[in-house]
Amino acid sequence: MSRNLHLFSLTLIDTLDTLVVLNKTKEFEEAVKKVITDVNLDNDIVVSVFETNIRVLGGLLGGHSVAIMLKEKGEYMQWYNGELLHMAKELGYKLLPAFNTTSGLPYPRVNLKFGVRHPEARTGTETDTCTACAGTLILEFAALSRFTGTSIFEEYARKALDFIWEKRQRSSNLVGVTINIHTGDWVRKDSGVGAGIDSYYEYLLKAYVLLGDDSFLERFNTHYDAIMRYISQPPLLLDVHIHKPMLNARTWMDSLLAFFPGLQVLKGDIRPAIETHEMLYQVIKKHNFLPEAFTTDFRVHWAQHPLRPEFAESTYFLYKATGDPYYLEVGKTLIENLNKYARVPCGFAAMKDVRTGSHEDRMDSFFLAEMFKYLYLLFADKEDMIFDIEDYIFTTEAHLLPLWLSTTNQTISKKNTTTEYTELDDSNFDWTCPNTQILFPNDPMFAQSIREPLKNVVDKSCPRGISRAEESLGSGPKPPLRARDFMASNPEHLEILKKMGVSLIHLKDGRVQLVQHAVQAASSLDAEDGLRFMQEMIELSSQQQKEQQLPPRAVQIVSHPFFGRVVLTAGPAQFGMDLSKHKAGTRGFVATIKPYNGCSEITNPEAVKEKIALMQRGQCMFAEKARNIQKAGAIGGIVIDDNEGSSSDTAPLFQMAGDGKNTDDITIPMLFLFNKEGNIILDAIREYEAVEVLLSDKAKDRDLEMENMDQKLTENDSHKQNAEEAASGSQDVGAASEEPEEGGESSDVADPGSLSPANADSASVPISHQDSYVPGTEEAGAPEPACTSGDNQPQEQQTETESNSKVNWDNKVTPMESILADWNEDIEAFEMMEKDEL
């Protein structure tokens, strides 16, 4: 564990109260001692005010809350004297400099040692913050004030909330995503219930519950009325513009909105909570996890899944409200998917891509702080708990704050400073907490009747592949040359284009770009023909791209000692075996071919026969490589990028195109790996020689049978070695002391970028030469359709054919020893943590 906050000690602090929920009281006591002795808050480190508040300050306060509860029970924590609270107060003072603005909204970042304005602070130049970042402080700061009797924390958090309320858009009663901390102007004027705003709404309602201040409830109800009026489009929750709330701001939803059904349960508005939750569950059933973002027709928009707990949170609250065992089945599905797809030797790994099952090397602290907590509580009976969970309220990080704080150290006046409330329909508040009505009067099938119409909402929304290009080409005036008939090598076609004011530009990569300038057309009628031709070409190019796009594939190392744990995201090919139609995939040992570029007859066919051939990109077409290895007897092929350092982490998905000829003769599967992922396989070959991989459309379950067999063989070898050593009569006696390497975690929040439309003074469209290149989108967050038949789920892609690429084979790669050493260190650290700390 980290010994200072420079390495943040985030997971240890963030999971303190989770241990008590799980009835791990001895482990909790030891963990608290480690926090007290090892964590130093006075460090020169720039941290997010929002994340530090909800995870570290909230973790310390949650730990203090359950520590004093255990002490009162008389068995554990008898030595505890408020040490966590003292640390929380120290941290609170270190966050206060961030509030040094005219508005009262905090800077998004603060240096724990030097504050904000200090020359060495390396922060304080920011002008914007997100609404949730400034509006998700009141629970922790007010609890800190109530616990300590120091009112300044609650005062600062209230001032920030007051400012956001005053700056709401008065006609719609909505707030934007980001705001200028100095002027109060809205920077991003879209509004929703997901990323950037989510916990602002959550904290208004929960501040009323914890602090008993009616003004927070009135504000929440005003916002909630606007949300249900404009953003809620059952079962969807779509962002809108705050000034034009009838106009949708985007056509996709982010996964953070999954918390909202749980908040609706707390408010008592059950029907829309059930509807939205069911829609989200259908998306999860299709992809195993909730993608980071998905479109209104349930295609994948952002494919990552960092093991977010918001859906589990809503599942727990819906079960508490309804008692419907259906939600236990939902929880069971979540647990099974986590164990099946995310479990790795040292914990649970975030999903890099929900479509392929590839992993990221990270497990955020909120997974232990929230996901474990909500899933355990979902299935726990009252007798499983050592305290009454109903005596506490959950923060947005699921930390526990006692409800008795509402009557303790009330140093803040409850005078209602909220003004200009909108007159709302009284029925909007019928179910508001505290709720005195029965949610489901004599009708146990109520929740099921709401879910039933949504059972197939995802499948029904999948597009049927209607060609807009065909529709647009089916009527209206036709230009003298149709886009689908155009050939760049036809002189007559080029002459017609010139007459229509359309010129050709030959790009360096072999593509041809068309540009129209109406003033260069022979006549106004020709200019109109040129415009229609360009419109056709744009539609046709877009349609061809969609038709040729393929989803990412997976290369899974299944041999010892990997057993399927290593999954590499691979680019597909537009030729050869379609892995989506061969669910079993192609499994075999890998072999490096000679020549390595695969552009001529293979000279080592005996090494390649019945194996999966490895080759380097460059020198010839991909299809030519495939034909050469297929002729040598290979059962599949992997092309490794020759661009040193390229990685699927940073580059858009690469798709291998054909050579402009008929490729039906190629029957083996071909996949593309970027340089970083390819080197992982090459390293494995150097270390183990015999490396077996599985080429498939998505990752398969780990080979548990082989893994267990290998473990038994390893144990037998170990016993045999020990017996031999004992028999040798060795008298060497040694002592070893081993400590886990110090490490830590940091957290950051990045705002998605926005895409600005290009200035369209003239029409321009790149077209493919012999269908060998399909242009991909450039926006990092471009939509990634993921709901077509056969599970074809295209995403942002590059599609290229090979031309004279330089061969640049470099053996300077990370050795496999270091990879396994990292694994062993992780396993040792995990075992040490499990034994000594948790």
Side-chain angles (χ1 to χ4, degrees):
M1 271 302 161
S2 162
R3 292 188 176 273
N4 56 57
L5 202 59
H6 180 68
L7 300 175
F8 225 54
S9 296
L10 186 59
T11 301
L12 179 61
I13 294 174
D14 209 9
T15 55
L16 286 176
D17 53 7
T18 298
L19 291 169
V20 179
V21 170
L22 300 180
N23 202 8
K24 300 290 185 180
T25 47
K26 291 182 179 179
E27 292 84 348
F28 169 75
E29 190 159 1
E30 292 302 312
V32 171
K33 291 178 181 178
K34 287 187 177 296
V35 171
I36 295 170
T37 57
D38 293 351
V39 175
N40 176 17
L41 297 171
D42 189 30
N43 283 279
D44 180 12
I45 178 175
V46 177
V47 299
S48 161
V49 173
F50 169 75
E51 295 290 352
T52 305
N53 173 65
I54 65 172
R55 299 199 199 191
V56 185
L57 182 58
L60 292 170
L61 292 172
H64 172 71
S65 299
V66 294
I68 58 178
M69 176 270 297
L70 291 173
K71 184 176 182 179
E72 288 177 359
K73 288 181 176 293
E75 183 176 357
Y76 296 99
M77 304 299 292
Q78 296 306 298
W79 55 269
Y80 182 71
N81 195 31
E83 288 85 353
L84 294 179
L85 181 60
H86 299 320
M87 294 179 68
K89 187 175 182 180
E90 178 188 356
L91 180 60
Y93 277 120
K94 289 182 175 296
L95 295 179
L96 287 185
F99 292 82
N100 188 19
T101 61
T102 55
S103 66
L105 298 178
Y107 283 94
R109 300 181 183 279
V110 66
N111 187 301
L112 290 181
K113 190 177 186 69
F114 298 109
V116 173
R117 298 293 181 89
H118 192 279
E120 298 182 56
R122 304 188 306 283
T123 187
T125 59
E126 303 92 342
T127 59
D128 307 333
T129 192
C130 71
T131 301
C133 298
T136 310
L137 301 161
I138 187 63
L139 292 189
E140 291 83 1
F141 272 49
L144 183 57
S145 287
R146 303 296 175 94
F147 273 131
T148 63
T150 306
S151 63
I152 189 172
F153 305 109
E154 186 172 346
E155 290 171 358
Y156 274 46
R158 281 179 177 264
K159 184 178 179 182
L161 274 181
D162 290 344
F163 190 83
I164 295 173
W165 169 254
E166 291 300 323
K167 290 298 179 179
R168 75 192 185 282
Q169 212 292 319
R170 299 304 176 98
S171 62
S172 66
N173 282 320
L174 295 173
V175 293
V177 175
T178 55
I179 189 171
N180 187 294
I181 59 177
H182 303 297
T183 66
D185 295 331
W186 291 110
V187 179
R188 278 186 55 187
K189 300 176 183 179
D190 46 320
S191 183
V193 296
I197 303 179
D198 48 1
S199 49
Y200 163 69
Y201 294 133
E202 177 186 2
Y203 269 37
L204 284 177
L205 182 55
K206 289 184 176 179
Y208 162 69
V209 175
L210 181 65
L211 306 177
D213 190 332
D214 290 344
S215 67
F216 291 128
L217 177 61
E218 291 168 350
R219 293 181 191 183
F220 173 80
N221 282 332
T222 301
H223 284 314
Y224 188 77
D225 179 77
I227 291 169
M228 300 309 291
R229 188 186 305 271
Y230 303 120
I231 295 171
S232 177
Q233 301 174 37
L236 309 180
L237 292 163
L238 295 177
D239 286 16
V240 299
H241 296 278
I242 59 175
H243 296 290
K244 297 179 180 179
M246 301 305 292
L247 182 64
N248 288 339
R250 60 172 60 104
T251 58
W252 50 270
M253 296 165 280
D254 66 76
S255 62
L256 285 171
L257 62 77
F259 92 100
F260 198 66
L263 188 63
Q264 289 178 306
V265 170
L266 186 59
K267 180 190 166 43
D269 199 0
I270 302 296
R271 177 181 288 274
I274 293 172
E275 291 174 338
T276 299
H277 180 274
E278 182 62 25
M279 176 271 292
L280 294 170
Y281 184 44
Q282 296 302 319
V283 175
I284 289 173
K285 288 203 291 187
K286 182 171 185 62
H287 301 295
N288 299 321
F289 299 99
L290 195 61
E292 194 71 334
F294 54 94
T295 62
T296 53
D297 57 359
F298 308 110
R299 298 173 181 267
V300 172
H301 186 71
W302 295 331
Q304 304 93 332
H305 174 73
L307 306 180
R308 293 199 184 278
E310 285 77 15
F311 181 78
E313 174 186 357
S314 289
T315 303
Y316 165 69
F317 281 114
L318 274 169
Y319 179 66
K320 291 288 288 184
T322 66
D324 190 336
Y326 174 83
Y327 296 108
L328 295 179
E329 290 300 317
V330 173
K332 181 182 177 182
T333 299
L334 297 181
I335 293 173
E336 289 175 346
N337 288 349
L338 285 170
N339 282 321
K340 190 173 183 180
Y341 302 110
R343 185 134 198 179
V344 290
C346 299
F348 294 82
M351 308 303 296
K352 179 190 290 187
D353 193 315
V354 297
R355 297 161 301 187
T356 64
S358 56
H359 292 141
E360 288 188 61
D361 186 17
R362 60 181 292 186
M363 184 182 77
D364 286 275
S365 66
F366 55 65
F367 180 71
L368 298 178
E370 299 183 70
M371 182 74 86
F372 269 32
K373 195 174 292 173
Y374 285 125
L375 288 177
Y376 180 83
L377 290 172
L378 175 64
F379 292 97
D381 294 323
K382 197 165 185 178
E383 54 268 24
D384 296 325
M385 302 292 296
I386 61 173
F387 65 99
D388 190 351
I389 198 71
E390 304 295 339
D391 291 338
Y392 297 81
I393 191 167
F394 293 103
T395 68
T396 195
E397 191 76 3
H399 293 306
L400 301 174
L401 298 177
L403 293 175
W404 53 257
L405 287 175
S406 62
T407 58
T408 303
N409 290 326
Q410 296 184 35
T411 56
I412 305 297
S413 171
K414 287 189 179 180
K415 181 180 178 181
N416 188 339
T417 59
T418 305
T419 58
E420 300 183 31
Y421 286 105
T422 304
E423 282 296 325
L424 303 175
D425 183 356
D426 287 343
S427 64
N428 186 54
F429 311 126
D430 284 349
W431 303 100
T432 297
C433 181
N435 179 13
T436 58
Q437 302 190 39
I438 300 173
L439 292 178
F440 307 109
N442 302 318
D443 187 4
M445 300 298 290
F446 178 75
Q448 182 178 338
S449 67
I450 297 174
R451 290 192 303 264
E452 197 61 36
L454 302 170
K455 285 293 184 184
N456 300 312
V457 65
V458 172
D459 293 332
K460 286 181 179 179
S461 296
C462 288
R464 294 186 295 272
I466 299 174
S467 171
R468 292 184 59 189
E470 292 179 6
E471 292 177 356
S472 65
L473 299 180
S475 59
K478 304 297 188 295
L481 177 64
R482 303 299 302 275
R484 64 189 179 195
D485 299 328
F486 171 70
M487 295 183 63
S489 59
N490 188 320
E492 293 182 7
H493 289 180
L494 298 179
E495 190 63 31
I496 296 173
L497 291 188
K498 184 178 180 181
K499 187 179 179 182
M500 294 189 298
V502 180
S503 56
L504 263 70
I505 300 174
H506 293 272
L507 304 178
K508 292 181 180 180
D509 57 12
R511 291 181 299 158
V512 176
Q513 187 176 42
L514 297 176
V515 181
Q516 193 215 17
H517 299 279
V519 295
Q520 297 178 3
S523 67
S524 59
L525 292 177
D526 289 320
E528 291 180 11
D529 286 342
L531 180 59
R532 281 193 290 270
F533 173 82
M534 294 297 292
Q535 290 172 339
E536 282 188 6
M537 184 59 74
I538 291 171
E539 291 283 355
L540 186 62
S541 177
S542 175
Q543 184 63 25
Q544 287 178 344
Q545 181 179 344
K546 290 178 181 178
E547 290 173 352
Q548 294 180 12
Q549 282 180 341
L550 295 170
R553 305 303 189 197
V555 175
Q556 193 169 7
I557 307 181
V558 296
S559 54
H560 167 86
F562 306 97
F563 301 112
R565 296 191 193 99
V566 176
V567 181
L568 308 174
T569 298
Q574 294 178 353
F575 53 86
M577 179 189 293
D578 184 353
L579 290 170
S580 67
K581 297 178 181 178
H582 295 77
K583 294 299 182 182
T586 296
R587 180 168 177 164
F589 289 92
V590 295
T592 304
I593 63 171
K594 297 179 182 179
Y596 190 46
N597 59 30
C599 293
S600 59
E601 185 175 352
I602 307 304
T603 59
N604 61 336
E606 69 287 347
V608 176
K609 188 175 182 181
E610 299 300 322
K611 294 183 179 178
I612 296 173
L614 297 178
M615 69 212 78
Q616 189 180 42
R617 177 186 180 186
Q619 304 297 304
C620 62
M621 297 287 195
F622 290 117
E624 184 177 349
K625 298 174 187 287
R627 291 188 178 99
N628 287 333
I629 64 169
Q630 181 173 284
K631 184 178 178 181
I635 60 174
I638 299 175
V639 179
I640 299 175
D641 192 13
D642 61 342
N643 182 18
E644 186 70 26
S646 65
S647 168
S648 63
D649 294 334
T650 56
L653 185 72
F654 190 92
Q655 180 171 294
M656 296 184 290
D659 54 5
K661 305 174 185 177
N662 190 317
T663 55
D664 290 344
D665 59 312
I666 302 175
T667 59
I668 61 174
M670 293 288 291
L671 295 181
F672 177 90
L673 289 178
F674 282 107
N675 188 264
K676 177 183 176 182
E677 286 76 14
N679 279 338
I680 292 176
I681 293 183
L682 295 174
D683 292 343
I685 294 175
R686 294 186 184 95
E687 181 69 21
Y688 299 104
E689 296 184 1
V691 175
E692 189 177 15
V693 302
L694 173 67
L695 312 183
S696 61
D697 63 331
K698 58 179 66 176
K700 301 298 188 291
D701 294 345
R702 302 204 315 263
D703 195 340
L704 296 177
E705 183 178 345
M706 290 295 295
E707 191 172 348
N708 293 334
M709 185 181 302
D710 180 79
Q711 185 176 355
K712 290 178 181 178
L713 290 174
T714 302
E715 291 174 355
N716 290 338
D717 290 343
S718 177
H719 293 323
K720 183 178 179 181
Q721 183 178 351
N722 291 339
E724 291 174 351
E725 291 175 353
S728 67
S730 174
Q731 299 298 316
D732 293 339
V733 178
S737 175
E738 187 173 318
E739 292 185 4
E741 185 177 356
E742 287 189 357
E745 303 160 340
S746 62
S747 177
D748 201 357
V749 179
D751 293 326
S754 59
L755 179 66
S756 301
N759 190 350
D761 292 331
S762 62
S764 172
V765 56
I767 63 174
S768 60
H769 182 59
Q770 294 183 335
D771 292 332
S772 63
Y773 183 95
V774 179
T777 57
E778 296 297 329
E779 184 192 7
E784 304 174 15
C787 193
T788 57
S789 60
D791 238 355
N792 284 343
Q793 303 159 344
Q795 68 169 23
E796 175 188 21
Q797 303 185 25
Q798 293 176 351
T799 309
E800 296 184 1
T801 56
E802 289 294 352
S803 57
N804 303 317
S805 299
K806 183 178 73 173
V807 176
N808 182 21
W809 174 235
D810 188 351
N811 286 325
K812 293 170 63 179
V813 292
T814 305
M816 182 52 57
E817 291 95 329
S818 65
I819 296 177
L820 290 177
D822 289 343
W823 282 12
N824 289 332
E825 287 180 8
D826 289 342
I827 292 172
E828 290 171 4
F830 181 73
E831 290 173 345
M832 183 73 71
M833 177 181 68
E834 194 175 44
K835 177 181 178 183
D836 295 336
E837 297 175 3
L838 294 183

